[in-house]
Amino acid sequence: QNPGMEFYFLDLNFPPLAVVVMLQHMGATSRLLVNYAEPYRSQILDYLFKPNFGASLQILKVEIGGDAQTTDGTEPSHMHYENDENYFRGYEWWLMREAKKRNPNITLIGLPWAFPGWIGRGKNWPYDYPDITASYVVSWIIGAKQYHNLEIDYVGIWNERSFNSKYIKLLRYTLDKNGLERVKIIASDNLWEPITLFVLQDRELSEAVDVLGAHYPGTTTVPEALKTGKQLWSSEDYSTFNDDVGGGCWARILNQNYVNGQMTATISWNLVASYYQDLPFGRDGLMTAQEPWSGNYVVESPIWITAHTTQFTQPGWKYLQTVGHLAHGGSYVALTNQRGNLTIVIETMTHDHSVCIRPPLLPYTVTAQRATFCLKGSFASISELQVWHSKFDFKVKKPVYFQKLSPVKVSNGSFTLDLDVDEVYTVTTITTGLKGNYPEPPPSSPFPKIYKDDFKHPDFSEAPDFADQTGVFEYFINETDPGPHVYTLRQVVTQRPITWVADADQTISVIGDYKWQNVTVSCDLYMEEENGGGVFVAARVDKGGGSVRSARGIFFWVFADGTYKVTSDLSGQSVLAEGQSGTRANIWNTLTLSVKGDNAFGELNGHVLWKNAVGLVPKNGWAAIGTSSFQLAQFDNFAVQAE
């Protein structure tokens, strides 16, 4: 199959366009990564961030935690309350430090998904008091530098939600007033419209916004965005299951976001699938690391597809304008550092092998083809180019990723490649490319059937393996309690946050194996609220993420008014049993929930409180702990035993 030769001219004399290239970010998606033991945790970080090893990422975009659900869990705010500041919560500070340690030149971006409730003064809206919101966001940027020596390069507005022109201008003013003129603003992390129209019509807004960032643009932009003259980024993209079709999606959009839409950065959601796979968008990361208990991780194809671009370009390189589509399908881009180096990336992904999660992809065809590239201008003197090759193989499932081939000779300024379908080539003057590798990690294994945590060994602010789905559960030192409960886990969010999705009205943190059916969960609990205090342990919890409000399972609650109840839902509406418990606030109680088949029983402080048939409940799900509202409560000596 050899259609006529097609010629593609690459010339530096055309004015090139600025570029940054890529990638990565959050939504409580790296929750399990921090719990990996060494050396596996460092290996995963090397595959992501170490230059000339794996994905060699050039951008790290993190969530500015807002105490609310942001897709796969909640991330803690640095200011739970107005008079509270703590720059050591959560794992994002650690992740940024680890990324910077490996690549000091990595670009850092912060973006809020949600905000603590006090910012809205009781309303689910961050713009009524824009000065408060701006100083809150800027305090995070100042804290990054003050406590972690991290310089944040860009900051966003409100992920995939409304923007407010007055707020954006005030944010710019507040940054400048604090000596942060170098921090740039991205807007609006949503669609191209209406932000582009506002920027075109409002000079002060235009001066405040440095980058127009759109989400899931489908490789296209709008004329108004081009008219602004701003840098255009796909500031969130991919979000696709990381099998080989996901790798194909990533290969196609990395090239075509520039070819079709002149976007000079593409940021993948998410960085690494380090969250329970049964939460929303399981395995939608560049690689998979969701088993800290086993040490198993998987370097998926998107890592090596990323390397085709990132190992051979740097932020500040420029795209040549003479790039585009290949005659028989696929695309090519060319970049230069304007000091003699040239990198060409070619992809020939077929439609069905490169569909992303969104938006829909119109049909097109790709066939095998021979392509000749002619180097003009200052590139004409290049005599040979390095070649790196990936070939997806959907027939016999023997793909090749990021393989170094023999250099290609350039004669009379041109070279020819025979391109098959579903391939990626990098042809480059850069000689430092490397396919890094480590010994195979340990084999995959399920979450341990017997698990205990007494919350005495804090490495981070959050306990390992717990995935907060509403509320924030943090290590706490009980200065006033000299007894056995000095070190505890405490739910600390006392006011509903300015939410991004519909968080539950209760707080909940899930843990364990979603396949668990027959299980005993026990925990010591301590209510701090005398009026309205309530806490629970649960089994077979079937939902998290944005669906957490409708989570079902078996929930065993006790309340500070001396009652208990058993419900089949987190919202506490479907009551299976209820009665007197004698429980009250400011005293420790031990709850034990045992579920086997269609039967369950609950113990309070070692005595059976209720026994019940529980027919209409999920057959399997996570274990969980939580509270009946946004209230302070403590947990200790958590234990689970599954069959």
Side-chain angles (χ1 to χ4, degrees):
Q1 222 186 338
N2 186 1
M5 193 114 73
E6 304 289 344
F7 291 88
Y8 304 95
F9 295 91
L10 300 176
D11 189 349
L12 187 51
N13 296 329
F14 284 87
L17 275 160
V19 59
V20 220
V21 222
M22 55 219 88
L23 310 138
Q24 297 9 295
H25 74 123
M26 317 326 283
T29 51
S30 303
R31 178 68 198 87
L32 298 173
L33 177 61
V34 296
N35 310 144
Y36 270 80
E38 295 297 348
Y40 310 114
R41 189 172 77 175
S42 289
Q43 292 172 5
I44 295 162
L45 292 162
D46 285 350
Y47 279 117
L48 294 168
F49 299 117
K50 188 179 175 182
N52 299 314
F53 187 85
S56 300
L57 296 174
Q58 300 167 348
I59 297 172
L60 173 62
K61 178 177 181 178
V62 304
E63 175 179 342
I64 299 176
D67 291 343
Q69 173 62 245
T70 55
T71 299
D72 288 295
T74 65
E75 293 200 32
S77 170
H78 61 290
M79 296 177 73
H80 294 314
Y81 328 111
E82 198 162 0
N83 56 357
D84 157 65
E85 276 184 80
N86 179 326
Y87 296 92
F88 295 91
R89 292 182 182 131
Y91 50 79
E92 301 286 20
W93 309 110
W94 167 83
L95 187 65
M96 288 189 283
R97 286 197 314 269
E98 293 292 329
K100 273 281 185 197
K101 199 158 81 184
R102 288 164 175 78
N103 176 5
N105 297 322
I106 198 164
T107 296
L108 298 178
I109 307 177
L111 172 66
W113 264 244
F115 302 87
W118 60 268
I119 286 200
R121 297 282 188 267
K123 279 175 72 179
N124 199 34
W125 191 246
Y127 301 132
D128 283 349
Y129 304 91
D131 50 329
I132 292 175
T133 308
S135 65
Y136 164 81
V137 169
V138 171
S139 70
W140 183 88
I141 296 171
I142 294 168
K145 177 69 179 163
Q146 189 176 336
Y147 295 97
H148 304 282
N149 200 28
L150 293 166
E151 304 229 333
I152 304 298
D153 301 292
Y154 293 85
V155 65
I157 307 306
W158 188 13
N159 183 63
E160 292 174 358
R161 296 294 176 262
S162 305
F163 67 89
N164 174 284
S165 297
K166 181 182 170 186
Y167 168 70
I168 295 173
K169 296 170 192 175
L170 197 58
L171 178 60
R172 177 74 269 161
Y173 170 80
T174 310
L175 287 164
D176 295 349
K177 196 178 67 177
N178 284 280
L180 295 166
E181 292 87 354
R182 46 162 216 86
V183 178
K184 297 181 168 153
I185 291 178
I186 305 177
S188 69
D189 282 295
N190 204 335
L191 306 173
W192 293 118
E193 310 287 18
I195 184 68
T196 47
L197 301 173
F198 277 72
V199 164
L200 285 171
Q201 289 159 11
D202 182 337
R203 170 172 293 179
E204 193 190 345
L205 181 66
S206 180
E207 284 168 1
V209 173
D210 297 277
V211 174
L212 293 175
H215 285 197
Y216 306 95
T219 77
T220 63
T221 183
V222 296
E224 291 76 20
L226 295 167
K227 206 182 292 178
T228 64
K230 302 271 178 207
Q231 280 201 35
L232 308 182
W233 289 6
S234 176
S235 55
E236 183 177 322
D237 219 327
Y238 180 62
S239 187
T240 300
F241 191 79
N242 61 19
D243 61 7
D244 284 357
V245 174
C249 150
W250 189 228
R252 178 175 56 78
I253 65 178
L254 278 183
N255 263 22
Q256 296 197 21
N257 274 345
Y258 181 74
V259 170
N260 301 334
Q262 293 193 20
M263 289 166 265
T264 55
T266 295
I267 298 179
S268 156
W269 188 90
N270 53 61
L271 172 70
V272 51
S274 278
Y275 47 99
Y276 290 117
Q277 191 170 327
D278 294 284
L279 285 167
F281 306 102
R283 265 186 61 187
D284 287 13
L286 298 181
M287 63 181 286
T288 305
Q290 57 192 19
E291 286 187 17
W293 48 88
S294 71
N296 180 259
Y297 62 85
V298 186
V299 183
E300 313 279 4
S301 62
I303 290 287
W304 302 118
I305 295 307
T306 307
H308 271 284
T309 297
T310 50
Q311 286 203 21
F312 309 103
T313 61
Q314 288 300 323
W317 280 47
K318 306 272 198 263
Y319 278 100
L320 300 191
Q321 289 205 358
T322 46
V323 300
H325 290 275
L326 298 166
H328 300 277
S331 66
Y332 67 101
V333 294
L335 301 105
T336 178
N337 64 350
Q338 299 184 289
R339 294 195 300 277
N341 278 312
L342 173 69
T343 290
I344 305 162
V345 186
I346 303 157
E347 60 80 23
T348 59
M349 294 310 304
T350 56
H351 178 282
D352 292 1
H353 295 159
S354 68
V355 175
C356 303
I357 194 169
R358 67 181 79 89
L361 182 62
L362 295 172
Y364 65 89
T365 54
V366 183
T367 52
Q369 57 197 304
R370 175 170 281 188
T372 297
F373 293 85
C374 307
L375 308 183
K376 301 280 187 189
S378 57
F379 298 135
S381 58
I382 292 172
S383 62
E384 77 165 17
L385 292 162
Q386 309 300 311
V387 183
W388 291 80
H389 175 238
S390 292
K391 167 110 182 100
F392 291 91
D393 183 346
F394 293 89
K395 287 202 182 84
V396 285
K397 301 277 187 275
K398 290 209 175 139
V400 177
Y401 298 123
F402 203 59
Q403 185 180 38
K404 191 174 194 325
L405 304 183
S406 306
V408 62
K409 295 278 179 265
V410 182
S411 65
N412 300 326
S414 73
F415 67 92
T416 298
L417 294 176
D418 283 311
L419 306 173
D420 201 353
V421 298
D422 295 333
E423 292 191 316
V424 181
Y425 279 92
T426 302
V427 186
T428 180
T429 56
I430 299 290
T431 55
T432 50
L434 177 78
K435 184 171 184 178
N437 76 304
Y438 283 114
E440 278 289 299
S444 170
S445 69
F447 194 95
K449 287 188 187 305
I450 296 176
Y451 184 92
K452 289 184 172 66
D453 196 342
D454 60 7
F455 307 122
K456 281 188 179 56
H457 308 284
D459 286 329
F460 286 86
S461 63
E462 302 162 303
D465 305 325
F466 278 92
D468 303 351
Q469 299 301 310
T470 296
V472 171
F473 294 72
E474 288 178 357
Y475 283 120
F476 183 62
I477 299 178
N478 246 339
E479 308 285 5
T480 56
D481 187 344
H485 299 288
V486 178
Y487 298 96
T488 66
L489 192 67
R490 190 187 199 205
Q491 199 296 116
V492 295
V493 180
T494 55
Q495 180 182 3
R496 188 175 180 83
I498 296 174
T499 55
W500 185 71
V501 287
D503 292 42
D505 297 319
Q506 302 73 25
T507 73
I508 180 172
S509 190
V510 302
I511 188 169
D513 188 333
Y514 192 76
K515 296 187 177 73
W516 280 347
Q517 296 184 341
N518 299 335
V519 64
T520 297
V521 187
S522 72
C523 192
D524 300 344
L525 304 97
Y526 182 91
M527 295 173 267
E528 298 184 43
E529 296 265 321
E530 295 192 5
N531 295 323
V535 288
F536 70 81
V537 296
R540 295 190 188 172
V541 176
D542 70 343
K543 287 193 194 76
S547 310
V548 67
R549 276 186 84 80
S550 57
R552 297 178 65 250
I554 302 164
F555 298 81
F556 173 20
W557 314 73
V558 293
F559 299 95
D561 66 3
T563 63
Y564 77 91
K565 69 177 175 180
V566 185
T567 69
S568 62
D569 56 350
L570 174 61
S571 59
Q573 305 297 306
S574 303
V575 179
L576 303 170
E578 57 190 325
Q580 297 300 309
S581 60
T583 47
R584 59 181 200 272
N586 304 310
I587 185 164
W588 283 94
N589 288 291
T590 304
L591 294 196
T592 306
L593 169 64
S594 299
V595 187
K596 185 161 189 176
D598 289 340
N599 294 295
F601 67 91
E603 294 171 78
L604 175 63
N605 301 324
H607 301 287
V608 174
L609 188 60
W610 57 272
K611 281 186 172 169
N612 221 33
V614 286
L616 297 168
V617 297
K619 290 284 173 252
N620 58 280
W622 296 292
I625 55 174
T627 65
S628 59
S629 65
F630 289 100
Q631 60 179 268
L632 298 171
Q634 294 177 57
F635 304 83
D636 201 1
N637 299 316
F638 175 84
V640 62
Q641 184 159 2
E643 284 183 15

